[in-house]
Amino acid sequence: MTPRQALARTRKLLEQKQQARREVQPWQLLDGAPQAHASGPALQSPEAAGKALELHAGESRMKAIQGSVGTRDRRNQGKRDHRNDGD
């Protein structure tokens, strides 16, 4: 296979892949009418935009400010362990 043939084959495969992405997926047809895909960002209310940012922060695994549950559990266990040390 020559480099030109490989390039032509690659371009053909890329074009097929892009065409497949544009088609409606079989599981989307189960709902009835195919869903229209938004071509750009949808208009949102400020509340919806805030919720989207909150969900994105959770999905991006940002470090939590308030600490983890395990940290709070260890701290509370330490309090319970030392509750009657003054006696």
Side-chain angles (χ1 to χ4, degrees), residues 18-54:
Q18 290 172 345
Q19 180 62 30
R21 279 190 186 162
R22 285 186 222 117
E23 294 176 358
V24 176
Q25 300 299 320
W27 60 86
Q28 293 171 334
L29 294 174
L30 295 175
D31 293 336
Q35 300 288 329
H37 296 289
S39 60
L43 298 175
Q44 299 180 355
S45 68
E47 295 84 17
K51 182 67 174 175
L53 286 174
E54 181 182 339

Side-chain angles (χ1 to χ4, degrees), residues 3-83:
R4 282 186 184 208
Q5 290 173 335
L7 183 60
R9 177 181 264 179
T10 302
R11 286 183 178 157
K12 182 179 175 184
L13 288 173
L14 180 61
E15 186 177 318
Q16 290 173 352
K17 183 177 179 182
Q18 290 172 345
Q19 180 62 30
R21 279 190 186 162
R22 285 186 222 117
E23 294 176 358
V24 176
Q25 300 299 320
W27 60 86
Q28 293 171 334
L29 294 174
L30 295 175
D31 293 336
Q35 300 288 329
H37 296 289
S39 60
L43 298 175
Q44 299 180 355
S45 68
E47 295 84 17
K51 182 67 174 175
L53 286 174
E54 181 182 339
L55 289 172
H56 174 69
E59 290 171 356
S60 64
R61 299 183 186 269
M62 292 175 62
K63 186 175 181 181
I65 296 172
Q66 70 275 7
S68 67
V69 171
T71 302
R72 290 189 299 236
D73 286 344
R74 285 191 302 274
R75 184 170 166 260
N76 291 337
Q77 182 64 48
K79 286 181 182 179
R80 286 191 299 272
D81 289 346
H82 299 289
R83 201 173 275 164

